[in-house]
Amino acid sequence: MSSIFGNIFKVSTWGESHGAGVGVVVDGCPAGLGLCEEDIQRMLDRRKPGSSAFTTQRSEADKIEILSGVFGGLTTGTPISLLVRNKDHHSSDYQNLAEQYRPGHADYCFDRKYGFRDWRGGGRSSGRETIGRVASGAIAEKLLSLFGICFLTYVDRIGDIEISADAFDEAEINRNPLCMPDRVAADAASDYLKRLMQEGDSSGSRVVCRVSGLPAGLGEPVFGKLDALLGQAVFSIGAVKGLEIGDGFAVSSMRGSDNNDGFFMENGEVKKLTNHSGGVLGGISDGSELILRAAFKPTPSIFREQKTVDRDGNNVTMNIAGRHDPVIGPRAAVVVESMTALVLADLLLENAVCRVSNLQKIYD
Amino acid sequence: MSSIFGNIFKVSTWGESHGAGVGVVVDGCPAGLGLCEEDIQRMLDRRKPGSSAFTTQRSEADKIEILSGVFGGLTTGTPISLLVRNKDHHSSDYQNLAEQYRPGHADYCFDRKYGFRDWRGGGRSSGRETIGRVASGAIAEKLLSLFGICFLTYVDRIGDIEISADAFDEAEINRNPLCMPDRVAADAASDYLKRLMQEGDSSGSRVVCRVSGLPAGLGEPVFGKLDALLGQAVFSIGAVKGLEIGDGFAVSSMRGSDNNDGFFMENGEVKKLTNHSGGVLGGISDGSELILRAAFKPTPSIFREQKTVDRDGNNVTMNIAGRHDPVIGPRAAVVVESMTALVLADLLLENAVCRVSNLQKIYD
Amino acid sequence: MSSIFGNIFKVSTWGESHGAGVGVVVDGCPAGLGLCEEDIQRMLDRRKPGSSAFTTQRSEADKIEILSGVFGGLTTGTPISLLVRNKDHHSSDYQNLAEQYRPGHADYCFDRKYGFRDWRGGGRSSGRETIGRVASGAIAEKLLSLFGICFLTYVDRIGDIEISADAFDEAEINRNPLCMPDRVAADAASDYLKRLMQEGDSSGSRVVCRVSGLPAGLGEPVFGKLDALLGQAVFSIGAVKGLEIGDGFAVSSMRGSDNNDGFFMENGEVKKLTNHSGGVLGGISDGSELILRAAFKPTPSIFREQKTVDRDGNNVTMNIAGRHDPVIGPRAAVVVESMTALVLADLLLENAVCRVSNLQKIYD
Amino acid sequence: MSSIFGNIFKVSTWGESHGAGVGVVVDGCPAGLGLCEEDIQRMLDRRKPGSSAFTTQRSEADKIEILSGVFGGLTTGTPISLLVRNKDHHSSDYQNLAEQYRPGHADYCFDRKYGFRDWRGGGRSSGRETIGRVASGAIAEKLLSLFGICFLTYVDRIGDIEISADAFDEAEINRNPLCMPDRVAADAASDYLKRLMQEGDSSGSRVVCRVSGLPAGLGEPVFGKLDALLGQAVFSIGAVKGLEIGDGFAVSSMRGSDNNDGFFMENGEVKKLTNHSGGVLGGISDGSELILRAAFKPTPSIFREQKTVDRDGNNVTMNIAGRHDPVIGPRAAVVVESMTALVLADLLLENAVCRVSNLQKIYD
C-alpha cells in the first residue's frame, strides 16, 4: 500500500530524485474526462524548481508525458500513466550522504528499515517524489472542476510572519514567489528568508487549502471520513508536522456554545451561521467551505555544521552540499492542494454509489 | 472502505448507538497471541460511560464477548469477532432528532448523504461506535506489548487549563476521572467543567499519546507513512479537529537549526540529541518516543437553545435532551491510544516483510 | 485480506464450526434497500443441514440476527452485522482430529501455517464458514433483484450421472434434495448416493449458476474482470477444483469460427447469435446470460479406514466419526450463487462510477 | 482496483496496444533482491511477437527499461517502474474497428461500459496488455527462486492434439514454437495450425503450469486462498474460459476414497501418496507440486467474413485485417506463469507474518 492511494480513484506513484524519472499511474479515473498534457503541466509548474531565489536551482523542465489512458482528448477509463524524466542530477553533491545520516531527514530510518538506501539526492524521500502526486492531483482537480469544485491554496505563515486577514488579496498569491495572499507579509517573509539563507538556515511555514463548491455528503463513515482521508493525505507529504480542519487546535479551549455552527434556511437551502467546523461534520462534507491548514517544518537541509553519526556508528560532524529551498511551504502548497483533490475525487466517486436511488438513476 | 481499517491487521467495525449492539471483526491478527476477554475488557472499561460525574449516565456494562478466532487461549490466525450488546437505550430522549438537525453533529450530513438516517442516539455517529475501535485496539496493544512497545495517554488540556510540565505525574492519570497527569490541573478542570455543566455548556480538550519502545523502521513510504496512517486513524475519531506529531504547529515558526534533531552514538546505539520530530522521520519511526497530540472540539450536545433547521426546511429552535459528557477528551483518550495501536500493529507486520533478509529468517 | 471480499460492497466473514457462532459484516451496501431477516433466512435455509438424507444430521436452526445497519426496514448505508449462533456441537466426535490429519482436509496445512489449529469440527475450514457468505450473498441478491437480475442455480452432475438437456425442468430444482433440474437424474443420483453411503464413501458433483438480466458493462479490466472476480469467488469455496465460464474447457478443441458469437440487432438491441462466451467478453458482461460451472470434489470425510500421519510424525490409520454429507454440490449450490451475487453487486457499484456522464446524472 | 493486483506485492499495470507504451509499477517488492533488466527481458522474450510462424508478425523489440526502485543492482523497497515503448503500430489496419464490433472481442462491451473506446489495435484489451504482467511476474519469480520455488509451464493441448504423458520431454518445451513438451504432438499441432491459417481460422489451446519447491502454508483462508487468488489471476488473462487445480473437473465423477490423498512420513517429512489435490488443501499449499490447467479459447480475430453490428446499430458483415496469432496458448504460457508467480510472491509475504513466532524471529 505504500505508494498507492485511494479506493476507487487510485494513484500509484514511483520514482527517485536521481533515477531515470518520476511518475504515477492513475487507475479508476472515469471515462470521458477531457484531458491533455497542458492540464497537468500547469499544476506541475507551480512546484517546479528554479523559478525563484527561494527554490533550489536544480534545473528541471519537469515536462509531463501522458503514456496511456487518453484517446481523442478524453480519458478512456483505463489507467493513465504519467512520466517525467529526470535531467539535472548532481549526484556528486550528495556523495557524503552515502555514509552520513542528515539530521531531520529519513536517511537513518531508510537504512534501518531496508538495510541500505538509494542515497542520491534523497532517493525516494526527495521532494521530487511529489511530482507524481501533483500530476495525478491535476487530473482529480480537472474532474472536480466539472462539478463546480474550486481550490484556493496559499502560504499563511513563514517563521513569525503571518498574513493579515484584512490585507487578504487572492490575486497576490500568484504574484509573489512565496504564494502569500498579502503583499506586505510576502515582502517581510522574503527579507526574513534572505537573512536565513545568508546564515545557511531555513524556516518553517504553514499552508492553507480551501475548497468551495463541495456538495454536502462527501466522506464515508467511519474510517473513510473526509477529514480522516485528508489526515492521511496531508501527513503523507514530507515535512508536515501538523494538520487542522476548521478551527483546529483552537477548539480545545472553546465552549460548545461557541463552537457549534447553527443551521438556517436561505433561498431554500440549508446554510450555516458560522463555519468553525471547516466544512466537515461527522466526517462528511456539510456544504460549506472546506478549510485545512498544514504546518511544514523548516527545510532540514541547512548549510551549517551539524552533529550526526555515520553508517559505521561513529559520531561525526557533517556539512550538506546540494541545492535546497530555504522554506518548504511555497512549493508544497500545490502538493497539499493535489492531495486534497485526490481525496475529494475519490470520495465523489464513493459517495455516488452510497444510495440505491443513485444506482437507479444510472441503471434504470 | 468506510468501516474497515488496516492493510494486514484489518479491523471491520459495526454498530449503532441504539441498535442490538456494537462490535468489530479483526482479520489478520497473527496466530499464537495469548488473548482472553479480560485483556479487552480492561481497555473498554477506560471508555465506559457512567463512571464519573463527567460522563454520560447511560448505564452500560459494555461486556465484551469473543465469538471466534481464539482457541485454547491463543489467537488462531482466523478472524476474531467481538460483540458488545447494547442495553440501556433511551431512544425517546432523542425523539426530536428524527426531525431536527443538531448543530455540531452529523445529522444533517447523514440525511444529505443517505437520504435518511438512524437517528436514535446518533446512530452510527454516536460515541458508542468507538467500542469496536477500542476492543480491536486492545488486541493490537497486546501484540505490541510482546515487543516492548508501551503506551502513555492522557489529557493535557481542557478549556484554558493545561497541565504543567513540572507537575507531570504519570500515576495521577488513573486517579482522576479527567485522565490528567497533574492533580492541580485536574482539580481546576473539574471545577471548570462543573461550572459549564450548570450552564448547560461543554468544553474542548486535548489528548496526548506517547509510545515508547518502538523499533526504528516502522512506516511505509509514501502513503503508508507512520504519520500518514496516524493522520487517518486519529482524524477518523469523531470531534478531532487537529493533530500534531512532535513539535506540531510550532515548527512553522522554527528555524532548521533549531528543529533538526542531531544524532549521536550511545552504547553502540544511534540516539537523538532532541526529539522535535516526535519519533517520525520521513514517515518512518526513528527509534525515539512517538508523540502525538489531538484536539477535540467541545461536546456538541449542549443543553441550551440552539438555532437550526428541520428536515422539512424550516428554521427552528432546538433543545437537546439525553445524557452527554461535558468534555470528550477524557473518554476519548483510550480511543486515540487504540487507533494508534492499530496503526502500529499493522506497520509492525508490514515492516516485517520489507526485506529479503527477513524472509530468509522465516523460510530458510 | 483473508476473510474480506469486495472492493465497494465488502463482506468480512468470521466464525468456526464449534465456536460461539458464525457471521459476517457487510460494509458498503447502499442505503435505502428494503431488508429484513426473512430475506436472508430464505437463502440460509437452502444450505441448512439436516434437511434430507443427504445432508449431515447436525441440527442447527441457523437463525439469522441482524445486529446493525438496518432502520425502519431499510439499509442505512452503515455496516450490516449478521450473526448465527452455533448450537449443536459434538466436539467429542472430532477428538482424534486434534492429533491426526484427515486426508483431503486442511488439517495438515493449518498446522503447518499457524503452528496449531482449532480442530473442533474443522474449525474455520468447516462448511459452516459459508453461512457468512450466504447471509451476505442474500443482501447482494436483494440489491441485484431491483435491477432485474435473477439467478438460476442447480446441480448438473453427481458422479457419472448428468442431467439431460431435454429433460431440463426448472421447477424440479426445489422439489428434490439434490437440486437437480431433472427428476430422472435426481432419482438415479439418489440411488447412487445411498449406495455410496452404505460403503462409507462419497461422490463428486458439479454446480451450474446462470444469471439473467445483467446489463452489458459489468466488469473492470484488467484484474477486476467479471470472470476474474468469479474465479476468486468460486475457487474460494472449499472443495472447488474447477471452474468454467461459458463453453469452458471445450474451447481448447474449438475453432475460432465456431467459438465466436456473432452479433445482430433485434428490436433496436444488440444480441448475440450464440452464447459460447457465457456472457463475458474481455472480462465485461456482454448482456447475454452469464453461465458458470464449478466442479466439487467428493466430501473428503469418508467412513473408511485411511492412511495418514499424526502431529508427532507417525504413520497411522484413521477412522473419521461425525456427521457428513455424502456429496457437496447440493448444499454448495447456494454458496456458489451467493459468491456470484457478491461479485455482481460489487461490479454493479464499480461500473456505476466508470463514466463522467454517470456522475453528472447524480451530481447535476 | 481494475489494473492493480496483490495485497502486499502489488502491481499496477497500464498501457494500450497502439499508445506510447505499456508498463507496470511494482509496489511492495522487498528490498535486497538482485535485479537487472536482463532478468525481466528473458521472461518478456518468451511472449515476444514475431518469433515464429504462429505469432503475429508485428515487430516489437519489447525492450524493458527499469525506471526506479533499483540501486546498485538491488531492489530498494520502493516502487519499481518498468516501461516498454510501443514501436510498430499499424493503426490503419484496424480502421474498421472504430465502427464495427469484432465477434469474440471486447469492443462492444467497452463501448457499452465507457461510451467509447481506444479502438486502435484493441486498445487496453490487446494482448500487449500482458507485458506489464510478465515484466512484474519476472520479479516475482526472481524472488521466489531464492526460496527454491521453480516453474514448469507448457501447452498440453491445441485443438484435439494432446501431449502424451509417456512422451513428456521437458527440454522440448523451448525447442518448438508451440511450447509443447512432446515433439510428436508439437509437429502435429504445427500442421494443424498451418491448415487453419490457410482457412483463415484459429484454434483453442490449453496451458499447464506446475510449481515445485513450495513450502506448505501459503494461502490465506478464506478469500485469499491460494486457489482463489489463482482463480482471479488466471481468469484475468484474456481468452481464458476454464481453470482446473489438480484433478479439476474429473473430481465431479470421483469417489472420496479415490480422490483423497493419504499422508505418510518419509525421511521425517510429511508426504502425500497421491496428488489429486494439485498441491492445495483448504486453500493452502500442502507442500506437493502445485498443478493448474487453463483453457484458452481460439483467437477471436479470424480472417473470415463474420456477422456483426456497427456502432450505429446496423447489421453488417465484417472482415478483420491486422496481424494475429492462430492460437493463444503458446504465447500465453508465460503469462499464466507470471500471474501464478505474482500470486505466490504475495502469499509468501502474507504467510510470513501469520504467526507471532515469525515476528519474534525478526524483531527479537
Side-chain angles (χ1 to χ4, degrees):
Chain A
M1 281 294 185
S2 53
S3 288
I4 299 179
F5 185 75
N7 290 321
I8 300 181
F9 191 102
K10 279 178 189 283
V11 302
S12 178
T13 74
W14 58 269
E16 279 84 36
S17 180
H18 290 197
V22 291
V24 64
V25 180
V26 180
D27 188 15
C29 181
L33 176 69
L35 188 72
C36 63
E37 277 148 354
E38 177 52 26
D39 291 322
I40 298 166
Q41 195 65 54
R42 204 171 22 231
M43 286 274 283
L44 276 182
D45 289 350
R46 286 168 59 191
R47 68 159 296 293
K48 206 170 65 173
S51 52
S52 88
F54 306 114
T55 65
T56 165
Q57 295 308 300
R58 178 168 173 170
S59 158
E60 293 282 358
D62 284 354
K63 201 168 149 27
I64 197 78
E65 185 183 3
I66 298 177
L67 297 172
S68 67
V70 176
F71 179 65
L74 296 173
T75 57
T76 59
T78 62
I80 306 166
S81 179
L82 304 173
L83 169 67
V84 166
R85 291 275 178 183
N86 289 332
K87 297 254 159 70
D88 184 25
H89 313 167
H90 287 200
S91 294
S92 57
D93 283 354
Y94 295 82
Q95 199 72 48
N96 58 342
L97 303 194
E99 298 303 323
Q100 301 178 342
Y101 298 133
R102 291 170 298 170
H105 277 285
D107 304 343
Y108 168 66
C109 297
F110 267 73
D111 260 21
R112 284 297 296 270
K113 184 176 188 67
Y114 298 112
F116 75 111
R117 71 189 191 285
D118 180 349
W119 49 265
R120 301 165 304 166
R124 182 71 177 146
S125 65
S126 157
R128 281 191 76 70
E129 166 264 312
T130 61
I131 287 176
R133 302 173 185 244
V134 175
S136 52
I139 300 176
E141 216 166 288
K142 188 89 194 287
L143 176 65
L144 294 165
S145 72
L146 296 184
F147 302 94
I149 299 167
C150 296
F151 291 79
L152 179 63
T153 312
Y154 50 87
V155 172
D156 81 334
R157 180 184 196 115
I158 289 177
D160 286 328
I161 299 143
E162 247 184 291
I163 61 164
S164 140
D166 296 338
F168 190 93
D169 178 4
E170 192 179 318
E172 182 60 31
I173 297 170
N174 299 313
R175 284 199 211 109
N176 69 72
L178 300 175
C179 294
M180 296 182 96
D182 169 348
R183 179 65 166 276
V184 176
D187 287 346
S190 174
D191 290 345
Y192 174 59
L193 290 175
K194 284 176 187 158
R195 261 194 335 271
L196 286 178
M197 288 169 82
Q198 282 165 352
E199 298 172 27
D201 217 334
S202 63
S203 175
S205 53
R206 211 168 60 190
V207 170
V208 173
C209 180
R210 288 159 47 185
V211 188
S212 59
L214 277 182
L218 304 195
E220 301 294 313
V222 184
F223 300 120
K225 285 175 172 169
L226 172 50
D227 33 6
L229 295 187
L230 289 172
Q232 181 187 2
V234 176
F235 271 108
S236 77
I237 304 170
V240 168
K241 302 303 287 185
L243 173 65
E244 299 184 314
I245 308 284
D247 282 5
F249 274 88
V251 298
S252 59
S253 327
M254 287 171 83
R255 291 169 169 233
S257 54
D258 295 327
N259 186 250
N260 282 351
D261 301 317
F263 294 103
F264 69 102
M265 297 303 301
E266 190 177 67
N267 301 326
E269 292 197 13
V270 175
K271 299 280 180 186
K272 284 162 52 191
L273 293 160
T274 48
N275 189 17
H276 296 292
S277 76
V280 192
L281 279 171
I284 304 174
S285 64
D286 65 14
S288 49
E289 191 180 46
L290 175 69
I291 304 171
L292 63 88
R293 208 172 297 104
F296 283 84
K297 71 179 186 183
T299 318
S301 290
I302 54 175
F303 302 97
R304 290 180 160 205
E305 223 173 63
Q306 292 184 90
K307 292 205 164 109
T308 190
V309 301
D310 65 16
R311 288 202 64 168
D312 302 325
N314 302 306
N315 288 314
V316 296
T317 304
M318 181 179 203
N319 284 290
I320 292 177
R323 298 161 294 181
H324 308 286
D325 301 359
V327 65
I328 293 173
R331 282 181 66 203
V334 70
V335 182
V336 172
E337 180 174 315
S338 296
M339 292 307 302
T340 302
L342 289 175
V343 166
L344 291 170
D346 201 30
L347 290 177
L348 192 86
L349 295 174
E350 289 205 73
N351 181 60
V353 288
C354 80
R355 292 166 71 159
V356 168
S357 55
N358 284 356
L359 294 174
Q360 286 166 332
K361 283 182 196 161
I362 288 166
Y363 288 109
D364 281 355
Chain B
M1 282 294 185
S2 54
S3 288
I4 299 179
F5 185 74
N7 290 322
I8 301 182
F9 192 103
K10 280 178 188 283
V11 302
S12 178
T13 74
W14 58 268
E16 278 85 36
S17 181
H18 290 198
V22 292
V24 64
V25 180
V26 179
D27 189 14
C29 180
L33 177 70
L35 188 72
C36 63
E37 277 149 354
E38 176 53 28
D39 291 321
I40 298 166
Q41 196 64 54
R42 207 171 19 233
M43 287 274 283
L44 277 182
D45 289 348
R46 288 168 59 191
R47 71 159 294 293
K48 205 171 64 174
S51 52
S52 88
F54 306 114
T55 64
T56 165
Q57 294 308 299
R58 176 169 175 171
S59 158
E60 292 282 359
D62 284 354
K63 200 169 150 28
I64 197 80
E65 185 183 3
I66 300 177
L67 297 172
S68 67
V70 176
F71 180 65
L74 296 173
T75 58
T76 59
T78 61
I80 305 166
S81 179
L82 304 173
L83 169 66
V84 167
R85 291 275 179 183
N86 289 332
K87 297 252 158 72
D88 183 27
H89 313 167
H90 286 201
S91 294
S92 58
D93 283 354
Y94 296 82
Q95 200 71 50
N96 59 341
L97 303 194
E99 298 304 323
Q100 301 178 342
Y101 298 133
R102 290 170 299 170
H105 277 284
D107 304 343
Y108 167 66
C109 297
F110 267 74
D111 260 21
R112 284 295 297 270
K113 184 176 188 68
Y114 298 112
F116 74 111
R117 72 188 190 287
D118 179 349
W119 49 264
R120 301 165 305 165
R124 182 71 178 146
S125 65
S126 157
R128 281 191 76 71
E129 165 265 312
T130 61
I131 287 177
R133 304 173 185 244
V134 175
S136 52
I139 301 177
E141 214 166 291
K142 189 88 194 289
L143 176 65
L144 294 166
S145 72
L146 295 185
F147 301 94
I149 298 167
C150 296
F151 291 79
L152 180 63
T153 313
Y154 51 85
V155 172
D156 81 334
R157 180 183 195 117
I158 289 176
D160 286 328
I161 299 144
E162 247 184 292
I163 62 164
S164 139
D166 295 338
F168 190 94
D169 177 4
E170 191 178 319
E172 183 59 32
I173 297 170
N174 299 313
R175 284 199 212 109
N176 68 73
L178 299 176
C179 295
M180 297 183 94
D182 169 347
R183 178 67 167 275
V184 175
D187 287 346
S190 173
D191 290 345
Y192 174 61
L193 291 174
K194 283 175 188 159
R195 259 192 341 267
L196 286 177
M197 288 168 82
Q198 282 167 351
E199 298 171 26
D201 216 334
S202 63
S203 174
S205 53
R206 210 168 60 190
V207 170
V208 173
C209 182
R210 287 158 45 185
V211 188
S212 59
L214 277 181
L218 303 196
E220 301 294 312
V222 286
F223 300 120
K225 285 175 172 171
L226 173 50
D227 35 4
L229 295 187
L230 290 171
Q232 181 187 3
V234 175
F235 272 107
S236 78
I237 305 170
V240 168
K241 301 305 286 185
L243 174 64
E244 299 184 313
I245 309 283
D247 283 3
F249 274 88
V251 300
S252 59
S253 327
M254 287 172 81
R255 292 171 168 230
S257 53
D258 294 327
N259 186 250
N260 282 350
D261 302 317
F263 293 104
F264 71 101
M265 297 303 299
E266 190 177 67
N267 301 324
E269 291 196 13
V270 175
K271 299 279 179 186
K272 284 163 50 190
L273 294 159
T274 48
N275 188 16
H276 297 291
S277 76
V280 192
L281 280 171
I284 304 175
S285 64
D286 66 13
S288 48
E289 191 180 45
L290 175 69
I291 304 171
L292 62 88
R293 207 172 297 103
F296 283 83
K297 71 178 185 183
T299 317
S301 288
I302 54 176
F303 302 98
R304 292 178 159 207
E305 224 173 61
Q306 294 184 89
K307 292 204 165 111
T308 189
V309 301
D310 66 16
R311 289 203 62 170
D312 301 325
N314 302 306
N315 289 314
V316 295
T317 305
M318 180 179 206
N319 284 290
I320 292 177
R323 298 160 295 180
H324 308 286
D325 302 358
V327 65
I328 293 173
R331 282 182 67 202
V334 70
V335 183
V336 172
E337 181 175 314
S338 296
M339 293 306 302
T340 302
L342 289 175
V343 166
L344 291 170
D346 202 30
L347 289 177
L348 192 85
L349 295 174
E350 289 206 71
N351 181 60
V353 289
C354 81
R355 292 166 71 159
V356 168
S357 55
N358 284 357
L359 294 175
Q360 285 165 332
K361 281 180 198 165
I362 288 164
Y363 289 108
D364 282 356
Chain C
M1 280 296 184
S2 53
S3 288
I4 299 178
F5 185 75
N7 291 322
I8 300 182
F9 192 101
K10 279 178 190 284
V11 302
S12 177
T13 73
W14 59 268
E16 277 84 34
S17 181
H18 290 198
V22 292
V24 64
V25 181
V26 179
D27 189 14
C29 179
L33 176 69
L35 188 71
C36 63
E37 277 148 355
E38 177 51 27
D39 292 321
I40 298 165
Q41 196 66 54
R42 207 174 15 235
M43 287 274 282
L44 276 182
D45 289 349
R46 288 169 56 193
R47 69 159 296 292
K48 205 170 65 174
S51 51
S52 88
F54 307 113
T55 65
T56 164
Q57 294 308 301
R58 177 169 174 171
S59 158
E60 293 280 0
D62 285 355
K63 202 171 149 26
I64 197 78
E65 186 184 2
I66 299 178
L67 297 172
S68 67
V70 175
F71 179 65
L74 296 174
T75 59
T76 59
T78 62
I80 305 166
S81 179
L82 304 174
L83 169 66
V84 167
R85 290 276 179 183
N86 289 332
K87 295 251 159 73
D88 183 25
H89 313 168
H90 286 202
S91 294
S92 58
D93 283 353
Y94 296 82
Q95 200 71 48
N96 59 340
L97 304 194
E99 297 304 323
Q100 300 178 342
Y101 298 134
R102 290 171 299 170
H105 276 285
D107 304 343
Y108 167 65
C109 297
F110 267 74
D111 260 21
R112 284 296 296 270
K113 184 175 187 69
Y114 298 113
F116 74 112
R117 72 190 191 285
D118 180 348
W119 49 264
R120 302 165 305 167
R124 181 70 177 148
S125 64
S126 157
R128 281 191 75 71
E129 166 265 313
T130 61
I131 287 178
R133 304 173 185 241
V134 175
S136 53
I139 301 177
E141 214 166 291
K142 189 88 194 288
L143 176 65
L144 294 165
S145 72
L146 296 185
F147 301 95
I149 299 167
C150 296
F151 291 78
L152 180 63
T153 313
Y154 51 87
V155 172
D156 80 335
R157 178 185 197 116
I158 288 177
D160 285 329
I161 300 145
E162 247 185 292
I163 62 166
S164 138
D166 295 337
F168 190 94
D169 177 4
E170 191 178 320
E172 183 59 32
I173 296 171
N174 299 312
R175 285 198 212 111
N176 67 74
L178 299 177
C179 295
M180 296 182 96
D182 170 347
R183 179 67 167 274
V184 176
D187 287 345
S190 174
D191 291 343
Y192 174 59
L193 290 175
K194 282 175 190 159
R195 263 197 329 274
L196 286 177
M197 288 169 82
Q198 283 167 351
E199 299 171 25
D201 216 334
S202 64
S203 174
S205 52
R206 210 167 60 188
V207 170
V208 173
C209 182
R210 288 159 44 185
V211 189
S212 59
L214 278 181
L218 303 196
E220 301 294 312
V222 182
F223 300 121
K225 285 175 172 169
L226 172 50
D227 34 4
L229 296 186
L230 289 172
Q232 182 187 3
V234 176
F235 272 107
S236 77
I237 304 170
V240 169
K241 302 304 288 185
L243 174 65
E244 299 184 313
I245 309 283
D247 283 3
F249 273 88
V251 299
S252 58
S253 326
M254 287 172 83
R255 291 172 169 231
S257 53
D258 294 327
N259 186 249
N260 282 351
D261 301 317
F263 294 103
F264 70 102
M265 297 303 299
E266 189 178 68
N267 302 323
E269 290 196 15
V270 175
K271 299 280 179 187
K272 285 162 52 191
L273 294 160
T274 48
N275 188 17
H276 297 291
S277 76
V280 192
L281 280 172
I284 304 175
S285 64
D286 66 12
S288 48
E289 191 180 45
L290 176 68
I291 303 170
L292 61 88
R293 206 172 299 102
F296 283 83
K297 71 179 186 184
T299 317
S301 290
I302 54 175
F303 302 98
R304 291 180 161 204
E305 223 173 61
Q306 293 184 88
K307 293 205 166 112
T308 187
V309 301
D310 66 16
R311 289 202 62 170
D312 301 324
N314 303 306
N315 289 315
V316 294
T317 304
M318 181 179 204
N319 285 289
I320 292 177
R323 299 162 294 180
H324 309 285
D325 301 0
V327 66
I328 293 174
R331 284 181 67 203
V334 71
V335 183
V336 172
E337 180 174 317
S338 296
M339 292 307 303
T340 303
L342 289 175
V343 166
L344 290 171
D346 201 31
L347 290 177
L348 192 86
L349 295 173
E350 289 205 75
N351 181 59
V353 289
C354 81
R355 291 166 70 159
V356 168
S357 55
N358 284 357
L359 295 174
Q360 285 165 333
K361 283 181 196 163
I362 288 165
Y363 289 109
D364 280 356
Chain D
M1 281 295 185
S2 54
S3 289
I4 300 180
F5 186 75
N7 290 320
I8 300 181
F9 192 103
K10 280 177 189 286
V11 302
S12 177
T13 74
W14 59 268
E16 278 85 35
S17 180
H18 290 199
V22 291
V24 63
V25 180
V26 179
D27 189 13
C29 180
L33 176 70
L35 188 72
C36 63
E37 278 148 353
E38 177 52 26
D39 291 321
I40 298 165
Q41 196 65 54
R42 205 171 21 229
M43 287 273 283
L44 276 182
D45 289 350
R46 288 168 57 192
R47 69 159 295 294
K48 207 171 64 172
S51 52
S52 88
F54 306 113
T55 65
T56 164
Q57 295 307 303
R58 178 169 174 170
S59 157
E60 291 281 357
D62 284 354
K63 200 169 150 26
I64 196 79
E65 185 183 3
I66 299 177
L67 297 172
S68 67
V70 176
F71 179 65
L74 296 174
T75 58
T76 59
T78 61
I80 306 166
S81 179
L82 304 174
L83 169 66
V84 166
R85 291 275 179 184
N86 289 332
K87 297 253 158 71
D88 183 26
H89 313 167
H90 286 201
S91 295
S92 57
D93 283 352
Y94 295 82
Q95 200 71 49
N96 57 341
L97 304 194
E99 298 305 323
Q100 301 178 340
Y101 298 134
R102 292 170 297 171
H105 276 284
D107 304 344
Y108 168 66
C109 297
F110 267 73
D111 260 21
R112 283 296 296 270
K113 184 176 188 69
Y114 298 113
F116 74 111
R117 73 187 190 286
D118 180 349
W119 49 264
R120 301 165 304 166
R124 181 68 177 148
S125 64
S126 157
R128 281 192 75 71
E129 166 265 312
T130 61
I131 287 177
R133 303 174 185 242
V134 175
S136 53
I139 300 177
E141 214 166 292
K142 189 87 193 289
L143 176 65
L144 294 166
S145 72
L146 295 184
F147 301 95
I149 298 167
C150 296
F151 292 79
L152 179 64
T153 313
Y154 51 85
V155 171
D156 80 335
R157 180 184 195 115
I158 289 177
D160 286 328
I161 299 144
E162 246 184 292
I163 61 165
S164 138
D166 295 338
F168 190 92
D169 176 4
E170 192 179 319
E172 182 60 31
I173 298 170
N174 300 313
R175 282 199 212 111
N176 67 73
L178 299 176
C179 295
M180 296 182 97
D182 170 347
R183 178 65 167 276
V184 175
D187 287 346
S190 173
D191 290 346
Y192 174 59
L193 291 174
K194 282 176 190 158
R195 262 195 332 271
L196 287 177
M197 289 168 81
Q198 282 166 351
E199 299 171 25
D201 216 334
S202 62
S203 173
S205 53
R206 210 167 61 187
V207 169
V208 173
C209 181
R210 287 159 46 184
V211 189
S212 59
L214 277 181
L218 303 196
E220 302 292 313
V222 289
F223 300 121
K225 284 176 173 170
L226 172 49
D227 33 5
L229 296 187
L230 289 172
Q232 182 187 2
V234 176
F235 272 106
S236 78
I237 303 170
V240 169
K241 301 304 286 185
L243 174 64
E244 298 184 313
I245 309 283
D247 282 4
F249 273 88
V251 299
S252 59
S253 327
M254 286 172 84
R255 292 172 168 229
S257 54
D258 294 327
N259 187 248
N260 282 351
D261 301 316
F263 293 104
F264 69 103
M265 298 303 301
E266 189 176 69
N267 301 325
E269 291 197 13
V270 175
K271 299 280 180 187
K272 283 162 53 193
L273 293 160
T274 48
N275 189 17
H276 297 291
S277 76
V280 192
L281 279 171
I284 304 175
S285 63
D286 66 13
S288 48
E289 191 180 45
L290 175 69
I291 303 170
L292 63 87
R293 208 172 298 102
F296 282 85
K297 70 178 186 184
T299 317
S301 290
I302 54 175
F303 302 98
R304 291 178 160 207
E305 222 172 61
Q306 293 184 89
K307 293 206 164 109
T308 189
V309 301
D310 67 15
R311 291 203 60 171
D312 301 324
N314 302 307
N315 288 314
V316 295
T317 304
M318 181 179 204
N319 285 289
I320 293 177
R323 299 163 292 182
H324 308 287
D325 301 0
V327 65
I328 293 174
R331 282 181 67 203
V334 70
V335 182
V336 172
E337 179 174 316
S338 296
M339 292 307 301
T340 302
L342 289 174
V343 166
L344 290 171
D346 202 29
L347 289 177
L348 191 86
L349 296 173
E350 288 206 74
N351 181 60
V353 290
C354 80
R355 291 165 72 159
V356 168
S357 55
N358 284 357
L359 294 173
Q360 285 166 332
K361 282 182 197 161
I362 287 164
Y363 288 110
D364 281 354

